[in-house]
DNA sequence: CTGTTAGCGCCTTCAC
DNA sequence: GTGAAGGCGCTAACAG
């Protein structure tokens, strides 16, 4: 494979001059510029990004995306949007599935690869030791899930959208609304559940400890968690006539579980998820959800990690997307 | 961030000795070994993979996975399996969504990043120029879709599994079986369609040009393609009482389309996909499919790219997984 | 406008 | 068992 040296020789100039036309910085005469470009094309030379990263910033062009459940297509959509947003900077997004046991190992690997940033959507706490290492490696860190006193965060304001849902459910005769969640450990950090409680109370709806339904997510996948929990809950009766699910994948699983228990969605049970994943629209029935602007969210991550965003946090707007999985929607 | 030099100084040894304990190669006395390890731990030193790659192999530890439709969760599952298989080698898998217009650009980016391998699951042809560059950059190349005279390939033998399906459909009274495909350009390269034709003819089933149903995949997503095509086909009647779909995502879309036209699955139309994605099991009804061992497939890719597989090709076994989307399955 | 020099952090070869 | 020197391919700073 031909390198910068060879093309410098062929063009009869120094390596530095080649660098200049490659990077577009520094003045080079039109003539030599054209000559060099021609030779680059002829030889099929491709600049070496890893060497450049090494020399220029001592960091790679990689951005690590840490997710709790890689089978959840929401994260695929985020990944895809981040890839697009990162293209202009030549970023590479790499996705890591993290859990309680592998977080610190994964973060170690990310540091070893000198990522320029970490977007943490995971649902497990990270040790201070790891965070210290991240910081000292000068790696940007974004959290979206569990709070860690980090400098930058993307905040979702679920309140309004969730209130829309609950009012709609109430209008259509739902009396007992549950929230299907994951493992207890994450309750403290969760804004959805917090909003859920506040809204139910402010709307004179029934609320108790039993309104929050715990499951094994994220140690099991969301869809499986939803399925298993629904089978357990609805085996002999209909304890909740409406169900919020932590995300659409869980809602899909829950819907199947409810059905297998012989109940109908939405006639017996209304179901609503979060994330507005594409698949939600193809289910039978299509799943009502709370959606956000994924492009915007992804862009915020990328912009922050590349240093093109100075704000301390970004707030993403959420909206209710009614579909046939809840009563009263055609 | 502390580097190799500092820890060498702290330990009172040379940088080379530090490298020796880091890489585990070369003899070092137990004493200094322990001392160095202790200091590494204390300082929170993390070895620099990009510098190592640069010095050692002039290649990165990245493996590029090129896919036609990133929204298809089959590729997420492949990605996930490859990540697991690659962990022991410290590989990073990065996923690229390719299409007719961006292939060569993407390949250029992959070369610039000095990937160690490319696994091409895309459905668009790659220019000879690009292939030449890949080769001269000493990057391993695996193709699974479109054939390019490459040295290594993973082959799927669909025949037996598809025959199982077709016999089952026939048994259950299906008379007119269609194959929902993507764009015409890819027909030549496709083994599924080829097997489909052969089996239909050998089983005395109806076969004609009309048995192959063309759609916009992969320029549109699989699920959307399936949906749109089904709406078109089933708007006023039931031209096919059974439908193979190129993949499960397409099958999911098709099922929704068939339903919206007022027909029932499987009573009016039997549907079967390929890939055995997890979601297929949660649909209503669950989707029959032809599945493969994804772990095995992914491992073959990784092993080949890391040089741990000398075979010229690998054959992956396919099997029919009956589910309620076809008649006669409970 | 162009070239020379000195790194980046690591690995490898050779010498002790 | 250990160290010094040179090189990977590129960028940066300085000097013409």
């Amino acid at each position: 494979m031909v390198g910068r040296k060879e093309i410098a020789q062929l063009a009869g100039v120094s390596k530095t001059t080649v660098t200049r036309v490659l990077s577009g910085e520094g003045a080079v005469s039109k003539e030599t510029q054209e000559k060099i470009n021609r030779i680059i094309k002829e030889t099929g030379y491709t600049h070496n990004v890893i060497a450049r990263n090494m020399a220029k910033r001592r960091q790679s062009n990689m951005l690590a995306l840490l997710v709790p459940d890689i089978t959840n297509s929401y994260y695929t959509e985020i990944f895809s949007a981040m890839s697009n947003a990162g293209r202009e900077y030549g970023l590479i997004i790499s996705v890591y599935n993290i859990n309680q046991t592998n977080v610190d190992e994964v973060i170690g690997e990310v540091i070893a690869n000198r990522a320029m940033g970490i977007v943490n959507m995971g649902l497990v706490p990270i040790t201070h030791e790891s965070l210290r290492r991240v910081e000292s490696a000068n790696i940007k860190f974004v959290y979206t899930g569990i709070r860690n006193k980090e400098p930058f965060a993307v905040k979702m304001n679920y309140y309004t959208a969730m209130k829309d849902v609950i009012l709609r459910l109430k209008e259509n005769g739902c009396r007992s609304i549950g929230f299907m969640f994951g493992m207890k450990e994450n309750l403290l950090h969760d804004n959805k559940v917090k909003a859920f409680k506040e809204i139910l109370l402010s709307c004179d709806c029934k609320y108790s400890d039993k309104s929050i339904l715990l499951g094994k997510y994220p140690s099991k996948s969301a869809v499986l968690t939803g399925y298993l929990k629904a089978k357990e809950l609805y085996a002999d009766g209909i304890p909740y006539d409406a169900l919020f699910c932590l995300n659409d994948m869980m809602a899909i699983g829950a819907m199947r579980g409810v059905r297998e228990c012989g109940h109908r969605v939405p006639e017996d049970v209304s179901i609503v998820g979060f994330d507005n994943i594409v698949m939600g629209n193809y289910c039978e029935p299509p799943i009502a959800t709370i959606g956000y602007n994924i492009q915007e969210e992804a862009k915020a991550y990328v912009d922050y990690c590349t240093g093109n965003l100075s704000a301390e946090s970004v707030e993403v707007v959420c909206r209710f997307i009614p579909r046939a999985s809840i009563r009263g929607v055609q």
Side-chain angles (χ1 to χ4, degrees), chain A residues 110-145:
Chain A
V110 170
I111 295 177
N113 280 283
R114 297 299 188 272
M116 63 186 303
I118 297 178
V119 176
N120 177 28
M121 306 191 91
L123 295 175
V124 293
I126 295 177
T127 62
H128 282 294
E129 171 60 13
S130 280
L131 285 174
R132 202 183 58 66
R133 287 174 67 203
V134 168
E135 196 169 355
S136 93
N138 202 22
I139 297 177
K140 303 258 189 181
F141 193 93
V142 180
Y143 74 89
T144 74

Side-chain angles (χ1 to χ4, degrees), chain A residues 70-85:
Chain A
I70 207 170
T71 66
N72 185 336
S73 43
Y74 172 57
Y75 298 113
T76 311
E77 296 181 20
I78 285 281
F79 162 74
S80 179
M82 283 177 66
S83 294
N84 291 336

